[in-house]
C-alpha cells in the first residue's frame, strides 16, 4: 500500500487539472509572466465576482419574498374577484338583455306577425295559383311552340346551315388554300430557302471554323500569360503578407490570448471561492444574531398564543357562524317553498287545474305539447299534458 501511495502522480492544487495546451518545456519566462498577470486579474475580478454573487442573492430573495407572493395575490385576485365580476357584468350588460329581447320580443313578433301569415299565403294562395299558371303555360304555349320547332324550324335550319357552309368554303377557304399550295410554297422554297442553305453550307460554315480555330489559339496564349501573372501575384501575397501574419498570430497573439483567458478563468474561480466563504460567514452571523432569537420568540411566545387564540376564539366563532348559516339557509328554503306553494294555489284558483296529490302519493307529471297535436313534445315518450291558456278556459 505504501508503495502504491508513493507511486501516485502528484495532484495539482484543487480538483482542476492543468490546461491541456500547456506543454512541458515552456520555459521560466512564461511562468514569470503568467503569475503577475493572474495576480493582477485576480485583484480586478474579486470585487466583480463578489458584487455578482451579492446581486444573485438579492435577486433570489426579492423573487422569493416579494415577487412570488405578489404574483400569487394578483393571480388569486384575477381568478376569484376580477374574472367573476367581469363575467357577471358582461353577461348582464351584453348577453342577457339581447337574449331576452330575442326570445320574448323578436321571435314571437317575427313568428306570429310575419312567418305564419307568409306561410299561409304561400300554401293557400300562391301555390295553387302557380300550379294553374304553370299548367296554362305548358298546355297553351310550350306544346305548340315545341311542335313548330321540331317539325318546321329544325329541318329548315339544317338545310340553311349546309348551304352557308358550302358557300363559305367556296369563298373564303378553297382560294386561299390553292394560292398557298401552288404559288407561295414553290416561290419561297426555290427562291429563298435553297440559296440561303447553299450559302450557309458552302461559305459561312468554313469561315466560322477558321475564326473559331484562331480564337482558340489566341485564348490559350492569353490564358497561359494570365496563369503566370496570377502565380507570381499569389506567391508575393503569401510571402509578404500571409506568412508574417500567420507567424505573428501563432507565436504572439494566440499565446497572449490563451494566457489572458486562463487568467480570467482562474481568477473567476478563486473569486467564487472567496465570495462563497464571505457569504457563508455573513449567513452564520445573520443566523446567530437574528435567526435564532426570532425562532426562539416564534416557538416560545407566538406558537402558544396562536394556539390559544385558535382553540379559544377562532374555532367557536367559526362553529357558531356555520350553524347560523345553516339555520339561515333552512329558513330561506322554507320561505321559498311557502311562496312557491302559495303561487301554485293562486294559479289553480285562477285558471283551474288538477287536484293536489294526496300526501304520500307520487306525483306523475306529463309533458306539455306546444301547439296542436302534430308538433313535437317537450319530453319524448311521456303522455301529453293539456295546455293551459289564459284566454281559453276548458
Amino acid at each position: 500500500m505504501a508503495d502504491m501511495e508513493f507511486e501516485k502522480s502528484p495532484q495539482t492544487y484543487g480538483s482542476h487539472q492543468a490546461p491541456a495546451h500547456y506543454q512541458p518545456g515552456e520555459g521560466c519566462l512564461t511562468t514569470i509572466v503568467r503569475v503577475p498577470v493572474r495576480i493582477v486579474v485576480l485583484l480586478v475580478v474579486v470585487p466583480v465576482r463578489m458584487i455578482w454573487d451579492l446581486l444573485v442573492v438579492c435577486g433570489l430573495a426579492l423573487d422569493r419574498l416579494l415577487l412570488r407572493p405578489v404574483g400569487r395575490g394578483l393571480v388569486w385576485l384575477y381568478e376569484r374577484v376580477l374574472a367573476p365580476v367581469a363575467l357577471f357584468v358582461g353577461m348582464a350588460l351584453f348577453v342577457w338583455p339581447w337574449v331576452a329581447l330575442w326570445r320574448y320580443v323578436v321571435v314571437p313578433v317575427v313568428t306570429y306577425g310575419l312567418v305564419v301569415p307568409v306561410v299561409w299565403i304561400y300554401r293557400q294562395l300562391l301555390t295553387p295559383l302557380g300550379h294553374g299558371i304553370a299548367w296554362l303555360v305548358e298546355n297553351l304555349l310550350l306544346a305548340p311552340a315545341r311542335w313548330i320547332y321540331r317539325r318546321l324550324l329544325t329541318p329548315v335550319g339544317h338545310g340553311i346551315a349546309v348551304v352557308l357552309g358550302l358557300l363559305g368554303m367556296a369563298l373564303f377557304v378553297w382560294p386561299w388554300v390553292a394560292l398557298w399550295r401552288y404559288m407561295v410554297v414553290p416561290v419561297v422554297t426555290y427562291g429563298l430557302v435553297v440559296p440561303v442553305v447553299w450559302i450557309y453550307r458552302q461559305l459561312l460554315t468554313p469561315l466560322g471554323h477558321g475564326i473559331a480555330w484562331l480564337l482558340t489559339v489566341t485564348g490559350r496564349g492569353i490564358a497561359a500569360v494570365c496563369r503566370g501573372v496570377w502565380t507570381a501575384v499569389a506567391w508575393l501575397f503569401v510571402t509578404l503578407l500571409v506568412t508574417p501574419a500567420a507567424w505573428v498570430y501563432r507565436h504572439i497573439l494566440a499565446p497572449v490570448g490563451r494566457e489572458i483567458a486562463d487568467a480570467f478563468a482562474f481568477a473567476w474561480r478563486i473569486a467564487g471561492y472567496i465570495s462563497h466563504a464571505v457569504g457563508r460567514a455573513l449567513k452564520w452571523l445573520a443566523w446567530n444574531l437574528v435567526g435564532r432569537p426570532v425562532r426562539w420568540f416564534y416557538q416560545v411566545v407566538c406558537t402558544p398564543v396562536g394556539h390559544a387564540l385558535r382553540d379559544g376564539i377562532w374555532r367557536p366563532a367559526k362553529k357558531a357562524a356555520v350553524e347560523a348559516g345553516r339555520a339561515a339557509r333552512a329558513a330561506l328554503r322554507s320561505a321559498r317553498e311557502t311562496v312557491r306553494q302559495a303561487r301554485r294555489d293562486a294559479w289553480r284558483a285562477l285558471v283551474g287545474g288538477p287536484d293536489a296529490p294526496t300526501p304520500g302519493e307520487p306525483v306523475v307529471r306529463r309533458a306539455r305539447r306546444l301547439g296542436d297535436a302534430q308538433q313535437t313534445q317537450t319530453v319524448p315518450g311521456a303522455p301529453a299534458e293539456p295546455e293551459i291558456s289564459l284566454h281559453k278556459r276548458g
Side-chain angles (χ1 to χ4, degrees):
M1 297 295 292
D3 297 337
M4 291 177 64
E5 291 178 357
F6 282 115
E7 289 176 0
K8 291 181 179 179
S9 60
Q11 301 290 333
T12 58
Y13 175 76
S15 60
H16 301 279
Q17 301 291 336
H21 57 265
Y22 289 155
Q23 301 294 335
E26 288 183 344
C28 60
L29 182 60
T30 303
T31 306
I32 292 174
V33 172
R34 183 183 300 157
V35 172
V37 169
R38 290 197 174 186
I39 293 174
V40 173
V41 172
L42 180 64
L43 294 177
V44 174
V45 170
V46 166
V48 177
R49 180 59 187 266
M50 294 185 70
I51 293 173
W52 173 258
D53 291 340
L54 181 61
L55 292 176
V56 170
V57 172
C58 293
L60 293 175
L62 181 64
D63 177 68
R64 182 175 298 176
L65 298 177
L66 180 61
L67 297 181
R68 289 184 185 179
V70 171
R72 293 193 188 99
L74 293 177
V75 169
W76 181 87
L77 180 64
Y78 172 77
E79 291 180 351
R80 300 299 178 85
V81 179
L82 297 181
V85 171
L87 180 61
F88 178 79
V89 172
M91 293 292 290
L93 293 179
F94 302 104
V95 177
W96 294 337
W98 298 103
V99 170
L101 180 65
W102 173 263
R103 183 176 298 174
Y104 301 109
V105 178
V106 176
V107 173
V109 170
V110 172
T111 301
Y112 296 102
L114 182 62
V115 175
V116 173
V118 169
V119 170
W120 184 87
I121 292 172
Y122 173 77
R123 290 180 179 177
Q124 304 297 329
L125 298 179
L126 297 180
T127 300
L129 182 61
H131 290 171
I133 294 173
W135 183 86
L136 292 175
V137 171
E138 177 68 25
N139 291 277
L140 298 180
L141 296 178
L142 294 181
R146 193 179 298 116
W147 184 87
I148 294 172
Y149 173 77
R150 290 179 181 177
R151 301 297 181 180
L152 298 177
L153 297 180
T154 301
V156 173
H158 287 172
I160 294 172
V162 171
V163 172
L164 292 177
L166 293 176
L167 183 61
M169 292 289 291
L171 292 177
F172 300 103
V173 176
W174 293 340
W176 298 104
V177 171
L179 179 64
W180 173 263
R181 183 177 296 173
Y182 299 109
M183 293 185 65
V184 176
V185 172
V187 169
V188 172
T189 301
Y190 296 103
L192 182 62
V193 176
V194 173
V196 170
V197 171
W198 184 87
I199 292 171
Y200 174 78
R201 289 180 179 176
Q202 303 298 328
L203 296 178
L204 296 179
T205 300
L207 182 61
H209 288 173
I211 294 173
W213 178 81
L214 182 62
L215 292 177
T216 302
V217 173
T218 305
R220 288 178 181 175
I222 295 173
V225 173
C226 292
R227 282 197 298 270
V229 173
W230 174 256
T231 303
V233 171
W235 180 82
L236 290 175
F237 179 76
V238 172
T239 303
L240 298 179
L241 185 60
V242 175
T243 302
W247 184 87
V248 170
Y249 173 77
R250 185 177 302 167
H251 294 86
I252 298 177
L253 297 179
V256 171
R258 285 197 299 268
E259 290 298 330
I260 293 175
D262 295 336
F264 271 101
F266 177 78
W268 186 261
R269 192 165 53 250
I270 298 303
Y273 295 151
I274 296 173
S275 177
H276 292 170
V278 172
R280 286 193 294 270
L282 293 177
K283 180 181 178 181
W284 182 84
L285 288 175
W287 173 250
N288 287 277
L289 294 179
V290 179
R292 288 181 183 275
V294 170
R295 187 181 68 174
W296 177 85
F297 179 78
Y298 175 78
Q299 292 179 350
V300 175
V301 178
C302 294
T303 301
V305 172
H307 289 176
L309 292 176
R310 182 191 62 187
D311 297 336
I313 299 175
W314 172 249
R315 286 182 177 175
K318 181 180 179 181
K319 186 176 180 181
V322 170
E323 294 296 333
R326 289 176 181 174
R329 285 195 297 271
L332 290 176
R333 192 181 303 113
S334 177
R336 283 197 299 269
E337 186 63 27
T338 303
V339 171
R340 191 179 296 115
Q341 187 65 32
R343 189 175 64 241
R344 287 203 203 99
D345 295 339
W347 181 262
R348 190 177 297 110
L350 288 174
V351 300
D355 297 335
T358 58
E361 181 182 354
V363 179
V364 178
R365 295 224 175 246
R366 295 188 298 168
R368 294 184 58 195
R369 291 184 183 275
L370 301 178
D372 57 358
Q374 296 180 354
Q375 295 182 354
T376 308
Q377 296 181 3
T378 56
V379 180
E385 183 176 307
E387 184 177 0
I388 298 174
S389 175
L390 295 176
H391 301 286
K392 296 180 181 180
R393 296 185 179 180

